[in-house]
Amino acid sequence: MGRWICCLCSRVADPLMLLLVLALGCNPSTAATAPSVPHVKPSYSFGRTFLGLDKCNACIGTSICKKFFKEEIRFDTWLSSHLKLPPSSLLSYSGNYTDDAKSWRLVDITRLTSKYQHDRADKRICTSLLKTKTCSLERALRRTQRFQKWLRAKRLTPDLVQGLSSPMLRCPSQRLLDRIVRRYAEVPDAGSIYMDHLTDRDKLRLLYTLAVNSHPILLQIFPDVEGWPFPRYLGSCGRLLVSASTRPLRDFFGAAPEVAADLALQLLAVLGSMATNDLNYFFYFTHVDAGTFGVFSNGHLFIRDASTLGIIDKEEGSQLIDGQQEHKDIFSCLTVGCQSAFVSCDSIREQHSLVMVCQDLLPKLLTGKFLPPVQERIDAFLRRCARGLADDGGAGEAMAELAQILKPLRSCDSRFAYRYPDCRYSDKF
C-alpha cells in the first residue's frame, strides 16, 4: 500500500522541526528550499482480514491485489473526507478502478458469499476435519481425499467435481472442464487443457471457488469480449472479486414504458443466446430474482449474477455416471442453500428459464406500463408463459411472440447509447 508523505517546510533552523524532518526520512538540504509546512495526505492501509488474504489459499485469487494496495481500486467511501473501508458485512461494494490514475471507471467489488457465511463455513471446516474451533484452512483442506485427487490429476475430469453444489457442475462435460482449466484467469495463460501449469496453491483456489460460487469462473471462461452477456472479470484479491459495474434490474422496474420495453427485449435476447450459441452450450437458470440481471450505463443488459446458471453440453452431454452427482464431502456445502434437491440433466426443458423470467421478472417490468390494447396482449402472454407454455410451441416461438409485441414500443434516442445511433440505420436494433 503506497503512502504519500510530504516533508515540506520553509526552514529547519528550529531543532524540533529538524527532528521532524529527519523522522519523516527527508533530506534536510532539500527541505530547506521547500515552500510550505509539513503535510501528510491521509491514506488507508488495507487489512488482510478485510480482503480475506488471511484465509488464502482457501480464497479466489490474488491477481488484482496490487491494484488495491496501489490505491488504483478505491471504494466509494475513499472519495469522502474520512477515508475508510465499508463494513465487511456487506456482500458487494461500489468502487472505482483506474489504469492511469487519471481516468476512473465504476466497478463492482463482490464476495462469493456473505462474510457471515464465509466465517461459518470456515468454522465448519475446522470442526469437521480437525476437530478444533480454529485452524489453518489450507492445511485442513489439503488433507481431504478430494484435494489429494486434484493434486495427482493431470486433467480436470468429472469425477473431481462430483458432488459440488454449483449448478454449473451438475451436468459437467469434459469439454466444459477443459475450458475451465484453459481459461482460468488467476494463473498465467498456458492455453492447455492439462493442469501442469497449476501449482498446488492454484488448484486449491480453483477448487475452493468452484465449491463456493462459480460466478467468477463463468465470467472468466465466457468473457464479454467474445460476446457473452456477462460483465468483465477484472481480477480477484483474497475473497473479493472485481468486475465491471452494472445496476441491478430492480432499479428499472419503475422505468418509462419505452425503457421497460427495451430491457424486456434485451432480456429475451439474452435468454435466446443462452439457449442457442455457437459453442453448443445450453445455459439455464436454477433461480432468478431482481439482482440476477444488470444494466450498464449505456443501457446494455447483462447477466449480473451467474451463480445460479447451470450448463448442459449439447455436444457431449453430462460425463457423470449414475450416483456420482450425490457424492458428498466438505466441499459439497460451503454456502447456504447448497442442499437443494438434485435435478436431472435430462429434465431441463428449452423453456425452463423463460418460464422463470415470466413468473418473477417480466411482470414487474411490464405490468401497467402501456395502453390497454397492448397491455392486455402482454398480460395474457405473461399469464400463459408463467403456467409453463404447456400447450404452446418451444421457448423460441414464445419469445418471438412477445418480441413482436414489444419492438414497436421502444424508441431510438441517445438514452439507449448501446444501440444509438445504429438503430436509425438498421432493423437489428
Side-chain angles (χ1 to χ4, degrees):
M1 185 72 176
R3 180 177 291 274
W4 301 291
I5 301 178
C6 300
C7 298
L8 305 175
C9 52
S10 58
R11 57 176 60 87
V12 291
D14 188 331
L16 291 177
M17 182 65 74
L18 180 60
L19 287 174
L20 175 60
V21 170
L22 292 173
L24 292 174
C26 298
N27 187 329
S29 62
T30 302
T33 61
S36 60
V37 295
H39 172 69
V40 177
K41 182 175 179 179
S43 180
Y44 188 91
S45 180
F46 270 106
R48 290 169 56 83
T49 301
F50 180 86
L51 292 170
L53 283 171
D54 58 325
K55 302 297 177 62
C56 280
N57 290 302
C59 61
I60 316 174
T62 56
S63 61
I64 209 166
C65 286
K66 285 185 179 180
K67 282 199 168 286
F68 277 108
F69 291 123
K70 290 167 65 179
E71 297 183 9
E72 292 175 348
I73 296 177
R74 300 181 177 184
F75 293 92
D76 279 351
T77 50
W78 283 37
L79 304 180
S80 66
S81 58
H82 303 289
L83 304 184
K84 61 180 181 179
L85 290 173
S88 60
S89 58
L90 299 179
L91 185 61
S92 64
Y93 314 89
S94 179
N96 298 273
Y97 175 103
T98 185
D99 288 316
D100 56 15
K102 296 178 182 178
S103 58
W104 295 82
R105 51 189 165 124
L106 290 175
V107 294
D108 290 332
I109 305 168
T110 315
R111 300 182 187 277
L112 295 183
T113 187
S114 70
K115 188 174 185 301
Y116 168 77
Q117 300 299 346
H118 269 311
D119 292 343
R120 196 170 82 165
D122 293 344
K123 291 178 181 178
R124 182 168 172 266
I125 291 171
C126 293
T127 55
S128 297
L129 299 180
L130 299 182
K131 312 302 180 185
T132 59
K133 292 184 178 180
T134 60
C135 68
S136 165
L137 298 176
E138 180 171 353
R139 188 178 303 118
L141 293 176
R142 277 178 173 271
R143 294 182 180 181
T144 61
Q145 182 180 1
R146 185 190 294 266
F147 187 67
Q148 289 301 312
K149 289 178 65 177
W150 274 62
L151 289 180
R152 295 189 298 269
K154 294 296 183 182
R155 193 174 181 182
L156 185 59
T157 51
D159 63 296
L160 296 177
V161 298
Q162 60 178 305
L164 297 185
S165 63
S166 168
M168 183 181 74
L169 300 173
R170 297 262 177 89
C171 315
S173 68
Q174 189 60 58
R175 188 169 69 112
L176 176 64
L177 298 180
D178 287 344
R179 189 177 182 87
I180 292 174
V181 172
R182 195 171 64 248
R183 296 192 166 209
Y184 182 42
E186 287 299 311
V187 298
D189 182 13
S192 173
I193 63 174
Y194 297 101
M195 296 197 289
D196 298 336
H197 62 294
L198 301 184
T199 64
D200 294 358
R201 174 200 65 193
D202 297 330
K203 288 183 178 181
L204 181 56
R205 291 177 180 177
L206 176 56
L207 172 56
Y208 180 84
T209 306
L210 290 172
V212 176
N213 188 332
S214 58
H215 171 75
I217 303 300
L218 275 159
L219 270 54
Q220 294 169 42
I221 66 176
F222 298 108
D224 68 308
V225 293
E226 295 179 3
W228 297 97
F230 301 110
R232 181 165 301 180
Y233 177 82
L234 299 172
S236 298
C237 184
R239 288 180 168 179
L240 294 178
L241 70 99
V242 183
S243 60
S245 177
T246 59
R247 289 177 60 191
L249 186 61
R250 68 171 65 90
D251 291 355
F252 297 86
F253 286 161
E258 61 272 20
V259 174
D262 181 82
L263 292 175
L265 280 166
Q266 288 192 72
L267 191 51
L268 296 177
V270 167
L271 294 182
S273 68
M274 294 284 91
T276 304
N277 51 74
D278 292 341
L279 292 185
N280 252 345
Y281 288 114
F282 175 72
F283 297 77
Y284 66 94
F285 287 98
T286 58
H287 171 77
V288 296
D289 58 36
T292 301
F293 298 90
V295 183
F296 285 121
S297 58
N298 65 356
H300 208 168
L301 182 138
F302 275 56
I303 296 174
R304 188 171 189 256
D305 179 3
S307 63
T308 63
L309 270 179
I311 302 178
I312 295 175
D313 189 333
K314 293 195 287 187
E315 284 188 12
E316 293 187 0
S318 175
Q319 307 283 299
L320 283 180
I321 61 176
D322 292 340
Q324 284 186 326
Q325 294 95 333
E326 295 304 310
H327 173 84
K328 300 294 182 182
D329 64 2
I330 192 67
F331 289 100
S332 299
C333 193
L334 293 180
T335 56
V336 172
C338 53
Q339 302 291 355
S340 58
F342 171 72
V343 178
S344 169
C345 304
D346 297 331
S347 67
I348 305 299
R349 297 290 177 259
E350 181 188 9
Q351 63 264 36
H352 179 88
S353 295
L354 176 61
V355 170
M356 296 178 70
V357 167
C358 285
Q359 291 172 341
D360 300 318
L361 296 182
L362 288 179
K364 298 173 183 175
L365 194 62
L366 298 176
T367 299
K369 293 286 178 69
F370 309 100
L371 294 175
V374 173
Q375 189 68 62
E376 289 169 4
R377 291 178 64 195
I378 293 174
D379 294 344
F381 173 87
L382 293 180
R383 287 193 298 269
R384 192 170 76 252
C385 176
R387 290 195 297 266
L389 299 170
D391 300 325
D392 301 296
E397 291 82 356
M399 288 189 285
E401 178 186 345
L402 181 57
Q404 187 177 16
I405 301 173
L406 294 174
K407 278 183 180 179
L409 304 176
R410 64 178 184 174
S411 62
C412 178
D413 58 60
S414 58
R415 287 177 299 168
F416 309 100
Y418 79 95
R419 58 182 174 88
Y420 182 85
D422 298 327
C423 54
R424 293 197 178 277
Y425 311 105
S426 173
D427 294 337
K428 175 183 177 184
F429 299 98

